[in-house]
Amino acid sequence: MMRRQGWRWLLIVWTGLLVTGCFAPQGPQFGDGRAVPEEASRIRVPVPPGPDGTWTVNSPREGLLGQGRVLVRREGPDGRGWRLTLPGEFRLTSSRPGSAHSALVQDHQVVLVGGREEGRGPSAIAGLDLENGRLAWRRPVAPGSRVFLYDYGAATVLVAGCRTGSCRLTGYSRYGQLLWSRTEPGAVGVLDGCRADAFTTAPPDADRRCHAFLVTPDRTAVLDMDTGRPHWNAALPIPRGGIDRITEDNGRIILATAPAEGSCRATVLAGPDGTGGEDAQAGWQHTFVWDQPQTPRDPRTGCRWDRTLPLLVGHSLVLPDAKGALLVTPYFGTRGHSRRLAPGEYLVTDGTENEIVRASGRPDRHLNEPVRPVRPDGLSPAARALTRNFWQDGERLLLLDHENRPLWEGTSACRAFLHDGAGPHVFVTYCDGTDLVDLRPVHRN
């Protein structure tokens, strides 16, 4: 009797999994080797992209496209469409979120950062009413301030103005309400661990948390966005030369100094996140001569250094040593497994998790599978994968099957991008001349 009941419960569970779709066959997906694009929608390009084929603001999740003085929300299942002509102060020309004439977008919140005509940095911030397409509030900011947007704490908008010996910190709610303001003596700057000051351009995830870090000459702190008070990390030593970039990854705080003028020496250091759950000796540190062969020499330092290039590529932390880039894991660093590239080689990605070794005058190769082709025949090193087997190379779009035979080809006058559609589909959006087209995957009959 008990065995019969056991089989009955097993049958119920199995049926439930089938009904909920856990074992149901997936629908067509780009990259499954059979799906081809079908046009799901076509509209006139609502706002032309910039000369490089991209928009200053492109947030597929929110349906936003913005360039110059025009910000548009495309109509979708989550809201109606609208078109907003922005005041000149808030025109969108900078792709660096938080700088003057840029936008910060996160968790259904949009904050525009205005700028002065004389180019002295941000002039004001404004909150966007995403539903109705209007500026809901405006707050002036002091010259030289930096603006940050977060999704934790009561204050989601942080304005930081740092002078010699102190930083003025101000927190606003998502509705523009002033929640706190304080001056922190001894601070020299505020660094954003997710955007301009991070090690990677990838969005935050379960491994990489998003925080504002207050920095002094000898310690760091995470800002409490409820109160503006710093939580100091006493377990993390500060390398000589000051902190240029910072990232939190899997419970590690990772710091990098800028290369020193003349010698180009720099230090990357990792240690516990200050929560008290780790041995302070569990971190690691590496000092080296900074050299990034893919970039020209910085006029100020004389070093081949570009702080906008990511140091986290795929699963590797790249330490751009002049002896040859050193690849380590973020957690163990030089205390764990590492490998060194040949001088002149560096690591790039094609838009996926692929780690690709590149060097001038040499063919690209996969880091861990050097004999596997990096990209299909006929595509240039500039080609990027939109998703599996779907490529854009200049204006050319190409979808391949598992044997790299073309399933579909097209051209795009802008940089194509992905976004979630209805149901399980992922759409590809591209520019067909003056039209903006959404493609969904379908299986041929």
Side-chain angles (χ1 to χ4, degrees), residues 80-433:
R80 66 183 183 85
W82 46 255
R83 180 184 183 90
L84 174 63
T85 300
L86 299 168
E89 180 184 32
F90 292 104
R91 67 186 182 277
L92 299 168
T93 58
S94 173
S95 57
R96 293 178 54 203
S99 62
H101 300 295
S102 72
L104 293 156
V105 184
Q106 186 166 321
D107 193 33
H108 302 292
Q109 184 177 6
V110 182
V111 174
L112 305 180
V113 183
R116 297 173 175 83
E117 291 298 330
E118 60 270 24
R120 294 178 55 215
S123 59
I125 55 176
L128 178 69
D129 181 340
L130 193 59
E131 182 63 31
N132 298 303
R134 63 182 183 87
L135 299 185
W137 52 266
R138 178 189 181 277
R139 301 288 181 265
V141 301
S145 296
R146 297 187 69 191
V147 183
F148 310 90
L149 183 64
Y150 297 101
D151 61 358
Y152 71 97
T156 57
V157 185
L158 171 65
V159 178
C162 295
R163 303 284 189 271
T164 303
S166 68
C167 287
R168 184 67 177 175
L169 309 173
T170 306
Y172 296 93
S173 75
R174 65 186 302 131
Y175 306 108
Q177 178 186 7
L178 174 64
L179 296 182
W180 45 260
S181 189
R182 58 184 287 121
T183 298
E184 193 64 40
V188 296
V190 174
L191 297 180
D192 185 352
C194 286
R195 297 182 184 90
D197 308 312
F199 278 53
T200 177
T201 56
D205 56 23
D207 295 332
R208 302 183 185 100
R209 300 174 63 190
C210 197
H211 289 302
F213 292 90
L214 188 67
V215 177
T216 77
D218 55 5
R219 57 181 179 167
T220 64
V222 172
L223 284 183
D224 185 330
M225 294 298 287
D226 286 328
T227 64
R229 297 184 181 278
H231 296 291
W232 296 104
N233 188 335
L236 186 65
I238 303 301
R240 292 182 60 184
I243 303 171
D244 178 66
R245 274 191 270 184
I246 190 167
T247 285
E248 181 175 353
D249 188 282
N250 275 312
R252 281 278 195 265
I253 303 295
I254 310 174
L255 316 173
T257 68
E261 185 176 347
S263 70
C264 298
R265 293 188 68 81
T267 297
V268 175
L269 178 149
D273 61 8
T275 59
E278 281 190 345
D279 180 357
Q281 302 302 315
W284 57 270
Q285 180 173 323
H286 183 66
T287 299
F288 57 97
V289 176
W290 192 294
D291 185 78
Q292 291 170 300
Q294 69 269 48
T295 187
R297 295 196 180 275
D298 174 59
R300 183 177 64 82
T301 63
C303 310
R304 291 202 292 184
W305 170 60
D306 183 349
R307 75 183 305 271
T308 66
L309 293 176
L311 299 181
L312 275 168
V313 180
H315 302 287
S316 299
L317 175 60
V318 182
L319 308 182
D321 197 323
K323 298 177 183 178
L326 191 64
L327 310 184
V328 300
T329 61
Y331 191 86
F332 294 104
T334 51
R335 297 175 66 245
H337 173 74
S338 63
R339 59 193 299 183
R340 190 180 292 277
L341 301 181
E345 293 184 334
Y346 55 96
L347 211 58
V348 297
T349 181
D350 57 14
T352 68
E353 288 290 310
N354 287 334
E355 297 169 314
I356 299 168
V357 179
R358 181 170 292 173
S360 178
R362 307 176 202 170
D364 288 355
R365 60 180 173 85
H366 281 285
L367 175 65
N368 297 313
E369 300 176 80
V371 299
R372 181 164 67 94
V374 170
R375 65 188 67 84
D377 291 339
L379 296 183
S380 76
R384 64 188 185 96
L386 292 164
T387 186
R388 185 185 178 197
N389 292 339
F390 206 143
W391 295 82
Q392 182 170 13
D393 187 9
E395 292 193 351
R396 184 186 181 195
L397 294 175
L398 183 64
L399 177 63
L400 305 171
D401 64 14
H402 293 324
E403 282 72 44
N404 282 341
R405 295 173 301 199
L407 289 169
W408 179 87
E409 290 192 56
T411 58
S412 179
C414 65
R415 186 180 176 95
F417 56 92
L418 296 178
H419 65 98
D420 293 333
H425 292 314
V426 173
F427 284 29
V428 169
T429 300
Y430 76 105
C431 297
D432 183 11

